[in-house]
Amino acid sequence: MLIAISLLLSAWLPYLNPQQFWLSGFAGLTFLICWGINCAFIILWLCWKRRYIWISLVGILFSLHALLSSIGTNLISSKDTWVRSDRQFTIMTFNTSNMGLNDYREDSVLQGSIYDMLREASPDILCMQEFYTNEGPNFTNHIDSISRTLGYPYHFFTCDMSHWDYWHYGIVLFSRFPIVRSSKIPCGYSSAGSGSSFLQSDILVQGDTIRVLTAQLQSYMFRGNDYDLLEKGKGTFSGIRNLASKMKHTIHKRAAQSRKMAELIAASPYKVVVCGDFNDPPVSYTYNTISANMQDAFLKDGFGVGRTLSFLAPTLRIDYILAQKPIRVKSYKTFHRKGFQHFPIMAGLSL
């Protein structure tokens, strides 16, 4: 009964504002685990004491809505058979983790892998968070390089943070379609650069204007000791308390950002596509707030749990592409690459 109640709480608490009831910000993280344990209990009851099976069945039945937002059910994807026409385009979102920059050193192998992936995918619109570019000697100007090598005549960069006048960090959007107007909308502060603003861009696609919103919402900014505690269970009571406090603070900020994003969607005079790193799973206040009246490209054409984060847990889908109707989702693809912290995702959309 405790497991069934935990499942119901993990499915329904995320509808509450974490700023008013902070536990709701944690609840959704355990949903798939609780759901799996409840399924295991059904097997147990079928073999022993069948009269108790209703306990687990009730938990699963009343949490189906959360399961359907977490699992892609499309056994046959359209990504390999989709033929693009004039009124269709592709859009990719990718948290680049600073384009392979680590301790102010560029990783040429990882950079090469990123560029190879971009050439293979070749999206019409490319949105990148935690993006790094450098105008100094002996470093890579990724804005110029990507624009030139992948054929993007238009781009907009938020440049949320700079070091020494030529090291720049933020969110960038590249487009093969004309950008009518773009703006940087402040939404907080992040020491990592992107995460401090939303990028809003109006793009002219085949005579029709769409609005693209892309962002990286507030990250937990975990450090080495935090990962030891999360992945290995190694830590002290004070470490657990500090980690919980850090997560609580982050959840509050992300809740405010998600409401601001929802307001921007509602105020748009054009059809909206939202993409980026939400730093929250599908069963969360963040996702519920932003995805209201939107189509999730993964749920439309993906299958399984759709993992986009390469560490911590095999079920974490925290990067999304959402589209307003009447835009139609035609395809969806995840690009799994060794060494990537986040896996890029791409959707084919139709006007």
Side-chain angles (χ1 to χ4, degrees), residues 125 173 175 177-180 201-205 208-210 212:
I125 300 171
L173 181 147
S175 176
F177 302 108
I179 296 177
V180 179
S201 191
D202 296 337
I203 302 174
L204 187 63
V205 180
D208 201 354
T209 303
I210 64 168
V212 175

Side-chain angles (χ1 to χ4, degrees), residues 203-224:
I203 302 174
L204 187 63
V205 180
Q206 303 296 339
D208 201 354
T209 303
I210 64 168
R211 175 163 290 179
V212 175
L213 285 162
T214 184
Q216 178 198 17
L217 301 190
Q218 187 71 33
S219 170
Y220 290 116
M221 300 299 292
F222 290 141
R223 296 291 184 258

Side-chain angles (χ1 to χ4, degrees), residues 251-267:
I251 286 168
H252 282 191
K253 294 187 70 172
R254 202 156 54 224
Q257 290 177 331
S258 63
R259 289 198 301 276
K260 186 167 186 175
M261 178 71 80
E263 291 171 0
L264 292 172
I265 296 169

Side-chain angles (χ1 to χ4, degrees), residues 63-123:
S63 62
L64 276 179
H65 69 286
L67 181 67
L68 293 176
S69 69
S70 303
I71 302 293
T73 58
N74 304 280
L75 290 172
I76 301 176
S77 174
S78 304
K79 64 179 181 293
D80 296 323
T81 59
W82 177 51
V83 178
R84 196 182 311 182
S85 69
D86 290 342
R87 297 281 288 171
Q88 297 174 350
F89 63 96
T90 52
I91 182 168
M92 170 180 280
T93 182
F94 178 28
N95 182 325
T96 71
S97 303
N98 293 327
M99 295 294 292
L101 186 74
N102 188 22
D103 291 332
Y104 298 101
R105 295 180 180 179
E106 294 184 356
D107 184 333
S108 59
V109 175
L110 186 53
Q111 281 189 13
S113 182
I114 290 174
Y115 275 82
D116 287 343
M117 181 277 300
L118 292 176
R119 279 189 286 267
E120 175 191 337
S122 190

Side-chain angles (χ1 to χ4, degrees), residues 69-201:
S69 69
S70 303
I71 302 293
T73 58
N74 304 280
L75 290 172
I76 301 176
S77 174
S78 304
K79 64 179 181 293
D80 296 323
T81 59
W82 177 51
V83 178
R84 196 182 311 182
S85 69
D86 290 342
R87 297 281 288 171
Q88 297 174 350
F89 63 96
T90 52
I91 182 168
M92 170 180 280
T93 182
F94 178 28
N95 182 325
T96 71
S97 303
N98 293 327
M99 295 294 292
L101 186 74
N102 188 22
D103 291 332
Y104 298 101
R105 295 180 180 179
E106 294 184 356
D107 184 333
S108 59
V109 175
L110 186 53
Q111 281 189 13
S113 182
I114 290 174
Y115 275 82
D116 287 343
M117 181 277 300
L118 292 176
R119 279 189 286 267
E120 175 191 337
S122 190
D124 296 318
I125 300 171
L126 172 62
C127 301
M128 306 173 86
Q129 306 85 39
E130 283 195 42
F131 180 78
Y132 150 80
T133 189
N134 200 315
E135 297 171 345
N138 303 318
F139 290 94
T140 306
N141 187 325
H142 288 294
I143 288 181
D144 286 351
S145 182
I146 291 174
S147 296
R148 183 180 64 256
T149 60
L150 279 91
Y152 291 112
Y154 311 98
H155 77 271
F156 181 77
F157 180 44
T158 61
C159 194
D160 294 318
M161 182 173 65
S162 294
H163 289 318
W164 308 296
D165 295 329
Y166 48 86
W167 298 63
H168 306 298
Y169 305 84
I171 305 171
V172 67
L173 181 147
F174 295 95
S175 176
R176 294 191 177 120
F177 302 108
I179 296 177
V180 179
R181 66 186 66 83
S182 292
S183 59
K184 168 184 171 180
I185 303 171
C187 67
Y189 170 76
S190 169
S191 60
S194 60
S196 305
S197 66
F198 300 148
L199 188 159
Q200 177 176 282
S201 191

